[in-house]
């Protein structure tokens, strides 16, 4: 340790070599803290303490290279993304990879499940590969909800969060003055259009935007929340129906033993459902049904057009209960707010089929239903065209 005068002289010589005036480097301020930390490597400075005074190492005093060295020595504030947690919880906002476009989107964790082999692991030992998340993508329709592997779910980047409360506002919306701001399928420009309820509904349908619960009446909000709680997790992944394999859109109340099926196999003639393909093949070998039950009320041959013929069948829910129940369960996979599943007695079902000349059988392509007696004189209950 050296006296303050010696350090001042040493600093003055260095300051002079850097082009700074020696008088600019004064003795330490009277109330400065005592510093006994060593100088940075290669600095060659000494630390002086004299009474209540302290002077940092000489290379860091003044301007020029000394100030730069001091700046480099200070730890920079970190704005890095926080580390990814091992397991997210229900309700967490995350960034999830979507299968429909291969891009990460903001989502909310609705449910989670452990992978096979990870059931007995301790909570601290669970990693991203040991869990899957059922997520709901922000601002998108419920039918796009899906199970996502844990390795494809990450911490939500704050820059990804956007205002999804009203998709009709801002650039590229229905309210935008640009003519190409929205495509409603009718070729009409969006310029000057007033954002009506019908226009908003059409926009939501085209862009897979979920409607806001807050737009409903209070009683409807309560019913919607109860419905969403019961049907929040899709229990069937996809359906093999005839020649087609179709992704399911919504929850359907199939019996418990068919819950959490990756794929459900449905006979396209009698609508019976099975869990395994081999069971379906055995069933087809002995299924004698060639068309829906009931009576044919309409037929339209299309031989000249090179297309299969069409037919409509009227089916009484009271007479053919099992067939109509199976039809309702299948339809519920594609209709979110369908509430009729098993009480089919008061309804008539009108099933549309295509006739396959190779097999001489009719395959279901859609249906609609109506009440036999309606106090409100309604003539339609449900209507569905099966994908694709």
């Amino acid at each position: 340790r050296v006296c303050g005068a010696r350090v001042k002289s040493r600093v003055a010589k260095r300051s002079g070599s850097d082009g700074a005036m020696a008088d600019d480097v004064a003795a330490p301020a009277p109330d400065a803290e005592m510093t006994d930390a060593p100088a940075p490597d290669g600095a060659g400075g000494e630390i002086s303490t004299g009474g209540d005074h302290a002077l940092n190492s000489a290379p860091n005093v003044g301007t020029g290279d000394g100030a730069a060295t001091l700046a480099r020595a200070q730890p920079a504030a970190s704005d890095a993304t926080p580390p990814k947690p091992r397991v997210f919880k229900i309700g967490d906002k995350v960034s999830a990879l979507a299968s429909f476009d291969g891009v990460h989107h903001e989502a909310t964790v609705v449910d989670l499940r452990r992978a096979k082999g990870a059931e007995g692991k301790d909570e601290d030992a669970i990693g991203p590969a040991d869990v899957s998340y059922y997520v709901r993508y922000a601002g998108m329709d419920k039918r796009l909800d899906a199970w996502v592997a844990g390795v494809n779910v990450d911490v939500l980047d704050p820059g990804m969060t956007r205002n999804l409360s009203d998709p009709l506002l801002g650039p590229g919306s229905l309210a935008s003055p640009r003519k190409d701001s929205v495509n409603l399928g009718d070729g009409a420009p969006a310029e000057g259009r007033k954002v009506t309820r019908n226009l908003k509904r059409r926009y939501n349908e085209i862009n897979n935007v979920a409607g806001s619960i807050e737009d409903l009446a209070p009683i409807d909000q309560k019913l919607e929340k109860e419905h969403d709680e019961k049907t929040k997790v899709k229990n069937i992944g996809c359906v093999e129906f005839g020649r087609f394999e179709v992704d399911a859109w919504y929850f359907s109340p199939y019996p418990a033993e068919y819950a959490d099926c990756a794929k459900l196999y449905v006979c396209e003639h009698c609508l019976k459902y099975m869990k395994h393909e081999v069971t379906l093949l055995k069933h087809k070998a002995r299924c004698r049904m060639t068309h829906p039950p009931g009576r044919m009320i309409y037929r339209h041959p299309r031989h000249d057009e090179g297309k299969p013929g069409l037919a409509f069948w009227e089916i009484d829910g009271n007479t053919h209960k099992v067939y109509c129940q199976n039809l309702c369960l299948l339809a519920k996979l594609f209709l979110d707010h369908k509430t009729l599943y098993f009480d089919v007695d008061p309804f008539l079902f009108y099933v549309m089929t295509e006739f396959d000349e190779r097999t001489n059988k009719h395959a279901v392509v859609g249906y609609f239903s109506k009440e036999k007696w309606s106090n409100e004189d309604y003539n339609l209950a449900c209507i569905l065209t099966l994908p694709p």
Side-chain angles (χ1 to χ4, degrees):
R1 299 184 183 277
V2 295
C3 66
R6 181 180 173 185
V7 174
K8 180 176 180 180
S9 175
R10 186 182 294 270
V11 173
K13 291 180 180 180
R14 179 172 180 84
S15 300
S17 63
D18 291 337
M21 297 295 291
D23 293 339
D24 293 338
V25 184
D31 295 330
E33 295 181 358
M34 295 183 64
T35 304
D36 291 332
D41 293 341
E46 297 185 27
I47 304 299
S48 171
T49 58
D52 294 333
H53 307 298
L55 184 64
N56 290 332
S57 56
N60 292 337
V61 179
T63 59
D65 295 340
T69 304
L70 180 60
R72 287 194 297 269
Q74 296 294 333
S78 175
D79 55 354
T81 303
K84 177 180 179 179
R86 285 183 174 271
V87 179
F88 294 102
K89 295 181 293 185
I90 295 177
D92 285 351
K93 301 291 184 180
V94 297
S95 171
L97 182 66
S99 60
F100 50 83
D101 62 359
V103 178
H104 277 78
H105 294 273
E106 178 188 353
T108 302
V109 176
V110 177
D111 199 2
L112 57 89
R113 65 186 179 192
R114 293 191 181 186
K116 292 182 179 179
E119 293 87 349
K121 284 188 177 182
D122 294 335
E123 195 70 28
D124 295 337
I126 295 295
D130 299 321
V131 65
S132 297
Y133 301 97
Y134 191 80
V135 300
R136 179 165 300 170
Y137 297 100
M140 298 186 184
D141 190 85
K142 185 179 175 181
R143 66 174 175 264
L144 298 177
D145 296 358
W147 285 102
V148 181
V151 293
N152 293 327
V153 178
D154 210 336
V155 176
L156 180 64
D157 182 359
M160 182 181 292
T161 306
R162 56 195 180 96
N163 182 13
L164 297 168
S165 59
D166 192 346
L168 304 180
L169 301 178
S173 65
L174 293 184
S176 173
R178 293 179 54 191
K179 293 186 179 182
D180 59 347
S181 61
V182 66
N183 179 15
L184 293 176
D186 55 6
E191 183 177 8
R193 282 192 174 190
K194 182 180 179 181
V195 182
T196 62
R197 179 177 299 178
N198 184 53
L199 196 60
K200 183 175 182 179
R201 178 185 59 79
R202 292 171 61 192
Y203 177 89
N204 291 345
E205 291 175 352
I206 294 171
N207 295 275
N208 292 328
V209 177
S212 176
I213 297 180
E214 288 71 18
D215 294 339
L216 303 175
I219 184 63
D220 293 332
Q221 291 185 28
K222 180 181 179 181
L223 295 174
E224 179 67 20
K225 290 178 180 178
E226 292 177 355
H227 167 79
D228 186 68
E229 183 63 27
K230 294 178 181 178
T231 64
K232 63 182 180 180
V233 178
K234 199 184 304 180
N235 57 340
I236 306 295
C238 64
V239 179
E240 183 172 308
F241 188 75
R243 298 180 293 112
F244 303 102
E245 183 177 297
V246 188
D247 289 336
W249 285 359
Y250 305 107
F251 169 89
S252 183
Y254 279 96
E257 57 267 29
Y258 296 89
D260 300 326
C261 255
K263 182 188 290 188
L264 188 69
Y265 299 88
V266 178
C267 176
E268 61 183 327
H269 304 298
C270 68
L271 304 185
K272 289 184 178 179
Y273 46 88
M274 291 138 267
K275 292 179 66 174
H276 306 289
E277 184 178 14
V278 62
T279 309
L280 176 65
L281 295 176
K282 291 179 180 179
H283 168 80
K284 284 185 173 182
R286 62 176 184 267
C287 182
R288 297 292 178 261
M289 189 173 257
T290 60
H291 59 76
R295 64 188 183 96
M296 183 189 295
I297 60 174
Y298 176 80
R299 183 176 61 183
H300 177 56
R302 299 192 295 178
H303 301 286
D304 298 340
E305 304 175 34
K307 298 178 181 179
L310 300 177
F312 257 106
W313 306 80
E314 183 183 65
I315 308 170
D316 190 330
N318 185 41
T319 307
H320 306 282
K321 185 175 296 187
V322 174
Y323 182 91
C324 294
Q325 288 176 346
N326 290 340
L327 178 62
C328 290
L329 290 173
L330 178 64
K332 180 62 183 72
L333 292 172
F334 309 101
L335 299 173
D336 186 20
H337 288 82
K338 179 177 175 56
T339 56
L340 169 67
Y341 315 124
F342 304 110
D343 185 18
V344 296
D345 294 0
F347 292 87
L348 291 172
F349 295 82
Y350 297 87
V351 178
M352 181 179 179
T353 62
E354 284 185 343
F355 180 70
D356 189 347
E357 295 182 349
R358 296 172 301 173
T359 61
N360 200 33
K361 293 183 177 182
H362 291 260
V364 177
V365 295
Y367 87 101
F368 70 90
S369 61
K370 71 173 185 178
E371 292 180 278
K372 297 175 183 176
W373 302 278
S374 173
N375 294 330
E376 295 83 7
D377 292 330
Y378 292 155
N379 61 1
L380 180 67
C382 287
I383 184 168
L384 171 73
T385 300
L386 287 171

